[in-house]
Amino acid sequence: MSPAFPRLGGGNPQLRPDGRLGHLLSIEGLPERILLEILNTAESFLQIGERAVKKTPTLRGKTVVNLFFESSTRTRTTFELAAKRLSADVLNINVATSSHNKGESLLDTIDNLMAMHVDGFVMRHSEAGAAHLVARHVDQDAWVVNAGDGRHAHPTQGLLDVFTILRHKGPVDQLKVAIVGDILHSRVARSQIHALSILGCPDIRVVAPKTLLPAAVEHLGVRVFHDLDEGLEGVDVVTMLRLQQERMEANLLPSSNEYFRQYGLTDKRLERADPDAIVLHPGPMNRGVEIDSVVADGPRAVILPQVTHGLAIRMAVLTSLAGARDRDLHRDHG
């Protein structure tokens, strides 16, 4: 195996020396041009889902491994479908029945898969930084996509959220966006905040009880609200977050009912937002805990379009990563 990513150095391990995307590990620190490239490519892929034959040959001959150490429905299936629509071969590793469950280390698992000459990994893990570790370990011709690592980052979710906002509300440089709920445990919130900031959103708000906010969150360039009505005042976009009870090490809330009373999004509370405001939720939703069904199923919800957009974004990310590698191979052997 080649030394750990010898051609990726400097301050951002996901960029190649020529500035192209080598891995997608976090939105933080990415140049705006890379975000725009992915968003524009995703726009072209949206049309493929409407065709009779929903395939392109873009990744023909490539092998993509889905390696999920945490449960997932939308992210894993849309990554699988994205790779298949690009004509890649896809391996879904069932971690519960793999050698990892017998004590094999993460990097030994990766080494064995690399010995099968796979091209890329899509990985979710409960530990922050796991995807970075793998990216520095794999052969220089392979790439890694972080599909969520602990509380740290979920870059494709951040991209698909912004893509949804752009399609429904236009450029973000005039918008007010409120992100509501369990900010403390949310990799989705961090990724969306970084994406909005890079694209120039002037008013990003986080709304949550003090127990569900990370320390010094305002350093991310957000305004902090503890009152939902104040936080929603005049916003164009509302992103509701799931309460991540499985990551809470202590009882941070009195009860789900009390949380819904103070922070649950209802039709009445949505009246505080702009009349044309849209509502996002990354899923899975806890109806009656963070969002009322009347809102979740209402005309301002764009929750199912987020899923559709997620497929297009993941096709765009896989295309960008595989394309960068192919250009290098053609240059080296051309």
Side-chain angles (χ1 to χ4, degrees):
M1 177 164 292
S2 302
F5 241 84
R7 290 191 290 170
L8 292 183
N12 195 329
Q14 50 192 344
L15 295 182
R16 303 176 69 79
D18 61 5
R20 285 179 287 143
L21 196 63
H23 305 283
L24 181 60
L25 308 176
S26 170
I27 291 177
E28 184 178 12
L30 285 181
E32 181 182 17
R33 62 175 172 76
I34 286 186
L35 267 63
L36 294 176
E37 176 187 310
I38 294 171
L39 295 168
N40 288 332
T41 304
E43 188 69 38
S44 67
F45 281 134
L46 268 185
Q47 301 167 2
I48 290 179
E50 299 170 1
R51 296 180 188 168
V53 178
K54 300 177 176 61
K55 283 227 176 200
T56 76
T58 309
L59 296 190
R60 183 178 294 160
K62 305 293 184 187
T63 303
V64 178
V65 178
N66 283 331
L67 193 56
F68 278 60
F69 292 85
E70 283 188 320
S71 59
S72 169
T73 301
R74 278 156 294 277
T75 303
R76 194 197 64 75
T77 53
T78 51
F79 264 116
E80 178 179 354
L81 191 55
K84 287 180 174 176
R85 287 193 174 173
L86 294 168
S87 302
D89 296 316
V90 182
L91 298 177
N92 292 309
I93 305 297
N94 185 347
V95 173
T97 59
S98 73
S99 293
H100 180 77
N101 208 33
K102 301 175 183 176
E104 184 175 74
S105 74
L106 170 61
L107 295 184
D108 281 341
T109 299
I110 297 296
D111 284 344
N112 279 275
L113 292 166
M114 287 297 301
M116 302 174 199
H117 303 293
V118 304
D119 296 284
F121 297 90
V122 177
M123 198 177 95
R124 170 170 288 190
H125 202 283
S126 60
E127 296 295 327
H132 283 71
L133 175 70
V134 172
R136 292 187 180 279
H137 182 76
V138 296
D139 187 271
Q140 65 184 22
D141 292 329
W143 43 261
V144 177
V145 178
N146 181 8
D149 61 332
R151 302 178 186 180
H152 173 236
H154 192 349
T156 56
Q157 181 70 47
L159 285 166
L160 77 88
D161 289 343
V162 168
F163 186 68
T164 301
I165 294 169
L166 289 169
R167 286 188 59 81
H168 286 270
K169 301 298 294 182
V172 303
D173 59 0
Q174 300 291 324
L175 298 182
K176 301 172 183 174
V177 178
I179 304 173
V180 181
D182 187 357
I183 311 292
L184 177 64
H185 301 99
S186 179
R187 53 200 178 204
V188 172
R190 286 168 180 75
S191 292
Q192 188 182 123
I193 289 168
H194 286 305
L196 288 168
S197 297
I198 290 170
L199 296 177
C201 183
D203 188 349
I204 308 170
R205 309 173 185 184
V206 294
V207 186
K210 290 181 180 177
T211 53
L212 293 182
L213 283 171
V217 66
E218 62 275 9
H219 291 174
L220 294 176
V222 300
R223 292 203 289 155
V224 177
F225 294 81
H226 301 300
D227 183 278
L228 180 58
D229 290 336
E230 292 179 5
L232 292 181
E233 193 68 47
V235 298
D236 305 286
V237 179
V238 184
T239 296
M240 300 303 296
L241 299 174
R242 182 176 67 87
L243 274 183
Q244 300 191 37
Q245 303 275 8
E246 72 278 13
R247 298 188 197 278
M248 295 185 187
E249 297 174 352
N251 190 10
L252 301 178
L253 298 168
S255 69
S256 296
N257 288 338
E258 177 64 14
Y259 179 81
F260 182 71
R261 193 181 70 77
Q262 292 193 39
Y263 292 97
L265 187 62
T266 63
D267 250 355
K268 180 69 177 173
R269 284 203 138 130
L270 195 53
E271 290 178 2
R272 294 276 187 164
D274 183 89
D276 294 324
I278 58 172
V279 177
L280 289 79
H281 193 302
M285 285 188 291
N286 291 314
R287 294 171 183 257
V289 177
E290 64 256 5
I291 189 168
D292 189 83
S293 286
V294 172
V295 177
D297 301 327
R300 293 202 267 180
V302 292
I303 296 166
L304 291 179
Q306 283 179 271
V307 179
T308 304
H309 298 161
L311 180 57
I313 283 290
R314 284 157 185 149
M315 291 174 74
V317 167
L318 296 178
T319 298
S320 177
L321 291 169
R325 289 293 191 274
D326 283 351
R327 282 191 288 273
D328 280 353
L329 287 174
H330 291 151
R331 181 197 63 208
D332 294 342
H333 302 291

